[in-house]
PDB file of all heavy atoms in Angstrom:
ATOM      1  N   ALA A  38     -35.426 -11.619  11.635  1.00  0.00           N
ATOM      2  CA  ALA A  38     -36.346 -11.624  10.428  1.00  0.00           C
ATOM      3  C   ALA A  38     -35.384 -11.534   9.177  1.00  0.00           C
ATOM      4  O   ALA A  38     -35.519 -12.311   8.254  1.00  0.00           O
ATOM      5  CB  ALA A  38     -37.309 -10.496  10.415  1.00  0.00           C
ATOM      6  N   LYS A  39     -34.474 -10.555   9.234  1.00  0.00           N
ATOM      7  CA  LYS A  39     -33.617 -10.445   8.051  1.00  0.00           C
ATOM      8  C   LYS A  39     -32.742 -11.735   7.872  1.00  0.00           C
ATOM      9  O   LYS A  39     -32.474 -12.071   6.713  1.00  0.00           O
ATOM     10  CB  LYS A  39     -32.543  -9.252   8.358  1.00  0.00           C
ATOM     11  CG  LYS A  39     -33.372  -7.873   8.056  1.00  0.00           C
ATOM     12  CD  LYS A  39     -32.335  -6.779   7.817  1.00  0.00           C
ATOM     13  CE  LYS A  39     -31.612  -6.421   9.158  1.00  0.00           C
ATOM     14  NZ  LYS A  39     -30.811  -5.265   9.070  1.00  0.00           N
ATOM     15  N   PHE A  42     -34.930 -14.410   6.360  1.00  0.00           N
ATOM     16  CA  PHE A  42     -35.242 -14.109   4.963  1.00  0.00           C
ATOM     17  C   PHE A  42     -34.046 -14.221   3.994  1.00  0.00           C
ATOM     18  O   PHE A  42     -34.091 -15.004   3.064  1.00  0.00           O
ATOM     19  CB  PHE A  42     -35.868 -12.667   4.960  1.00  0.00           C
ATOM     20  CG  PHE A  42     -36.345 -12.187   3.632  1.00  0.00           C
ATOM     21  CD1 PHE A  42     -37.198 -13.023   2.932  1.00  0.00           C
ATOM     22  CD2 PHE A  42     -36.146 -10.870   3.273  1.00  0.00           C
ATOM     23  CE1 PHE A  42     -37.758 -12.532   1.763  1.00  0.00           C
ATOM     24  CE2 PHE A  42     -36.595 -10.470   2.064  1.00  0.00           C
ATOM     25  CZ  PHE A  42     -37.500 -11.313   1.352  1.00  0.00           C
ATOM     26  N   VAL A 280     -49.375 -16.815  -0.173  1.00  0.00           N
ATOM     27  CA  VAL A 280     -47.891 -17.072  -0.086  1.00  0.00           C
ATOM     28  C   VAL A 280     -47.806 -18.520   0.448  1.00  0.00           C
ATOM     29  O   VAL A 280     -46.945 -19.403  -0.136  1.00  0.00           O
ATOM     30  CB  VAL A 280     -47.108 -16.195   0.704  1.00  0.00           C
ATOM     31  CG1 VAL A 280     -45.604 -16.569   0.833  1.00  0.00           C
ATOM     32  CG2 VAL A 280     -47.175 -14.655   0.092  1.00  0.00           C
ATOM     33  N   ARG A 285     -43.513 -20.402   0.578  1.00  0.00           N
ATOM     34  CA  ARG A 285     -43.447 -20.479   1.997  1.00  0.00           C
ATOM     35  C   ARG A 285     -43.435 -19.153   2.640  1.00  0.00           C
ATOM     36  O   ARG A 285     -42.768 -18.247   2.184  1.00  0.00           O
ATOM     37  CB  ARG A 285     -42.030 -21.093   2.269  1.00  0.00           C
ATOM     38  CG  ARG A 285     -42.008 -22.715   2.327  1.00  0.00           C
ATOM     39  CD  ARG A 285     -40.575 -23.057   2.899  1.00  0.00           C
ATOM     40  NE  ARG A 285     -39.518 -22.684   1.954  1.00  0.00           N
ATOM     41  CZ  ARG A 285     -38.336 -22.424   2.247  1.00  0.00           C
ATOM     42  NH1 ARG A 285     -37.971 -22.504   3.487  1.00  0.00           N
ATOM     43  NH2 ARG A 285     -37.435 -22.086   1.361  1.00  0.00           N
ATOM     44  N   VAL A 286     -44.213 -19.037   3.720  1.00  0.00           N
ATOM     45  CA  VAL A 286     -44.079 -17.856   4.524  1.00  0.00           C
ATOM     46  C   VAL A 286     -43.001 -18.063   5.520  1.00  0.00           C
ATOM     47  O   VAL A 286     -42.933 -19.012   6.319  1.00  0.00           O
ATOM     48  CB  VAL A 286     -45.452 -17.608   5.311  1.00  0.00           C
ATOM     49  CG1 VAL A 286     -45.272 -16.473   6.384  1.00  0.00           C
ATOM     50  CG2 VAL A 286     -46.649 -17.449   4.438  1.00  0.00           C
ATOM     51  N   LEU A 287     -41.891 -17.198   5.443  1.00  0.00           N
ATOM     52  CA  LEU A 287     -40.832 -17.250   6.308  1.00  0.00           C
ATOM     53  C   LEU A 287     -40.970 -16.534   7.610  1.00  0.00           C
ATOM     54  O   LEU A 287     -40.636 -17.011   8.704  1.00  0.00           O
ATOM     55  CB  LEU A 287     -39.538 -16.783   5.643  1.00  0.00           C
ATOM     56  CG  LEU A 287     -39.248 -17.515   4.301  1.00  0.00           C
ATOM     57  CD1 LEU A 287     -38.206 -16.720   3.421  1.00  0.00           C
ATOM     58  CD2 LEU A 287     -38.603 -18.942   4.563  1.00  0.00           C
ATOM     59  N   VAL A 288     -41.499 -15.384   7.439  1.00  0.00           N
ATOM     60  CA  VAL A 288     -41.749 -14.552   8.678  1.00  0.00           C
ATOM     61  C   VAL A 288     -43.000 -13.794   8.392  1.00  0.00           C
ATOM     62  O   VAL A 288     -43.243 -13.316   7.310  1.00  0.00           O
ATOM     63  CB  VAL A 288     -40.561 -13.571   8.732  1.00  0.00           C
ATOM     64  CG1 VAL A 288     -40.923 -12.488   9.891  1.00  0.00           C
ATOM     65  CG2 VAL A 288     -39.269 -14.099   9.059  1.00  0.00           C
ATOM     66  N   HIS A 289     -43.845 -13.700   9.467  1.00  0.00           N
ATOM     67  CA  HIS A 289     -45.044 -12.899   9.383  1.00  0.00           C
ATOM     68  C   HIS A 289     -45.247 -12.155  10.624  1.00  0.00           C
ATOM     69  O   HIS A 289     -45.632 -12.780  11.630  1.00  0.00           O
ATOM     70  CB  HIS A 289     -46.329 -13.819   9.035  1.00  0.00           C
ATOM     71  CG  HIS A 289     -47.523 -12.985   8.714  1.00  0.00           C
ATOM     72  ND1 HIS A 289     -48.664 -13.455   8.474  1.00  0.00           N
ATOM     73  CD2 HIS A 289     -47.564 -11.535   8.556  1.00  0.00           C
ATOM     74  CE1 HIS A 289     -49.548 -12.515   8.149  1.00  0.00           C
ATOM     75  NE2 HIS A 289     -49.002 -11.418   8.313  1.00  0.00           N
ATOM     76  N   GLY A 290     -44.870 -10.849  10.610  1.00  0.00           N
ATOM     77  CA  GLY A 290     -44.846 -10.204  11.968  1.00  0.00           C
ATOM     78  C   GLY A 290     -43.416 -10.061  12.386  1.00  0.00           C
ATOM     79  O   GLY A 290     -42.782 -11.065  12.720  1.00  0.00           O
ATOM     80  N   VAL A 291     -42.970  -8.808  12.481  1.00  0.00           N
ATOM     81  CA  VAL A 291     -41.561  -8.506  12.916  1.00  0.00           C
ATOM     82  C   VAL A 291     -41.691  -7.466  13.863  1.00  0.00           C
ATOM     83  O   VAL A 291     -42.496  -6.599  13.995  1.00  0.00           O
ATOM     84  CB  VAL A 291     -40.774  -8.090  11.732  1.00  0.00           C
ATOM     85  CG1 VAL A 291     -39.312  -7.689  12.134  1.00  0.00           C
ATOM     86  CG2 VAL A 291     -40.658  -9.072  10.610  1.00  0.00           C
ATOM     87  N   VAL A 299     -45.464  -6.893   8.467  1.00  0.00           N
ATOM     88  CA  VAL A 299     -44.797  -7.265   7.269  1.00  0.00           C
ATOM     89  C   VAL A 299     -44.674  -8.836   7.055  1.00  0.00           C
ATOM     90  O   VAL A 299     -44.474  -9.571   8.141  1.00  0.00           O
ATOM     91  CB  VAL A 299     -43.354  -6.617   7.204  1.00  0.00           C
ATOM     92  CG1 VAL A 299     -42.407  -7.144   8.228  1.00  0.00           C
ATOM     93  CG2 VAL A 299     -42.851  -6.735   5.781  1.00  0.00           C
ATOM     94  N   LEU A 300     -44.728  -9.194   5.932  1.00  0.00           N
ATOM     95  CA  LEU A 300     -44.590 -10.639   5.647  1.00  0.00           C
ATOM     96  C   LEU A 300     -43.530 -10.908   4.721  1.00  0.00           C
ATOM     97  O   LEU A 300     -43.289 -10.161   3.719  1.00  0.00           O
ATOM     98  CB  LEU A 300     -45.857 -11.183   4.896  1.00  0.00           C
ATOM     99  CG  LEU A 300     -45.954 -12.735   4.610  1.00  0.00           C
ATOM    100  CD1 LEU A 300     -47.359 -13.274   4.761  1.00  0.00           C
ATOM    101  CD2 LEU A 300     -45.430 -12.927   3.148  1.00  0.00           C
ATOM    102  N   LEU A 301     -42.653 -11.833   5.072  1.00  0.00           N
ATOM    103  CA  LEU A 301     -41.446 -12.179   4.229  1.00  0.00           C
ATOM    104  C   LEU A 301     -41.516 -13.602   3.746  1.00  0.00           C
ATOM    105  O   LEU A 301     -41.775 -14.514   4.609  1.00  0.00           O
ATOM    106  CB  LEU A 301     -40.072 -11.994   4.972  1.00  0.00           C
ATOM    107  CG  LEU A 301     -39.991 -10.554   5.567  1.00  0.00           C
ATOM    108  CD1 LEU A 301     -38.845 -10.531   6.528  1.00  0.00           C
ATOM    109  CD2 LEU A 301     -39.760  -9.481   4.499  1.00  0.00           C
ATOM    110  N   GLY A 302     -41.613 -13.851   2.538  1.00  0.00           N
ATOM    111  CA  GLY A 302     -41.760 -15.206   2.100  1.00  0.00           C
ATOM    112  C   GLY A 302     -40.932 -15.511   0.794  1.00  0.00           C
ATOM    113  O   GLY A 302     -40.207 -14.683   0.324  1.00  0.00           O
ATOM    114  N   ILE A 303     -41.049 -16.706   0.355  1.00  0.00           N
ATOM    115  CA  ILE A 303     -40.309 -17.121  -0.842  1.00  0.00           C
ATOM    116  C   ILE A 303     -41.163 -18.088  -1.705  1.00  0.00           C
ATOM    117  O   ILE A 303     -41.813 -18.911  -1.182  1.00  0.00           O
ATOM    118  CB  ILE A 303     -38.999 -17.727  -0.395  1.00  0.00           C
ATOM    119  CG1 ILE A 303     -38.011 -17.831  -1.611  1.00  0.00           C
ATOM    120  CG2 ILE A 303     -39.186 -19.102   0.292  1.00  0.00           C
ATOM    121  CD1 ILE A 303     -36.508 -18.174  -1.174  1.00  0.00           C
ATOM    122  N   ILE A 309     -40.810 -12.750  -1.884  1.00  0.00           N
ATOM    123  CA  ILE A 309     -42.161 -12.140  -1.935  1.00  0.00           C
ATOM    124  C   ILE A 309     -42.382 -11.391  -0.553  1.00  0.00           C
ATOM    125  O   ILE A 309     -42.089 -11.974   0.465  1.00  0.00           O
ATOM    126  CB  ILE A 309     -43.239 -13.074  -2.239  1.00  0.00           C
ATOM    127  CG1 ILE A 309     -44.540 -12.355  -2.259  1.00  0.00           C
ATOM    128  CG2 ILE A 309     -43.270 -14.344  -1.239  1.00  0.00           C
ATOM    129  CD1 ILE A 309     -45.746 -13.104  -3.009  1.00  0.00           C
ATOM    130  N   ILE A 310     -42.620 -10.147  -0.702  1.00  0.00           N
ATOM    131  CA  ILE A 310     -42.810  -9.287   0.571  1.00  0.00           C
ATOM    132  C   ILE A 310     -44.211  -8.803   0.580  1.00  0.00           C
ATOM    133  O   ILE A 310     -44.639  -8.149  -0.467  1.00  0.00           O
ATOM    134  CB  ILE A 310     -41.742  -8.149   0.447  1.00  0.00           C
ATOM    135  CG1 ILE A 310     -40.352  -8.630   0.489  1.00  0.00           C
ATOM    136  CG2 ILE A 310     -41.944  -7.253   1.628  1.00  0.00           C
ATOM    137  CD1 ILE A 310     -39.614  -8.306  -0.877  1.00  0.00           C
ATOM    138  N   GLY A 311     -44.888  -9.031   1.603  1.00  0.00           N
ATOM    139  CA  GLY A 311     -46.118  -8.419   1.940  1.00  0.00           C
ATOM    140  C   GLY A 311     -45.977  -7.144   2.702  1.00  0.00           C
ATOM    141  O   GLY A 311     -45.477  -7.171   3.828  1.00  0.00           O
ATOM    142  N   PHE A 326     -36.010  -3.897   4.558  1.00  0.00           N
ATOM    143  CA  PHE A 326     -35.931  -5.246   4.000  1.00  0.00           C
ATOM    144  C   PHE A 326     -35.518  -5.270   2.440  1.00  0.00           C
ATOM    145  O   PHE A 326     -34.602  -6.057   1.983  1.00  0.00           O
ATOM    146  CB  PHE A 326     -37.205  -6.039   4.180  1.00  0.00           C
ATOM    147  CG  PHE A 326     -37.519  -6.181   5.673  1.00  0.00           C
ATOM    148  CD1 PHE A 326     -38.491  -5.596   6.302  1.00  0.00           C
ATOM    149  CD2 PHE A 326     -36.698  -7.154   6.402  1.00  0.00           C
ATOM    150  CE1 PHE A 326     -38.679  -5.732   7.634  1.00  0.00           C
ATOM    151  CE2 PHE A 326     -36.995  -7.360   7.734  1.00  0.00           C
ATOM    152  CZ  PHE A 326     -37.970  -6.623   8.325  1.00  0.00           C
TER     153      PHE A 326
END
Side-chain angles (χ1 to χ4, degrees):
Chain A
K39 283 197 289 186
F42 187 42
V280 177
R285 273 185 297 150
V286 173
L287 298 164
V288 171
H289 189 183
V291 177
V299 68
L300 180 146
L301 306 170
I303 191 165
I309 180 156
I310 298 116
F326 295 106

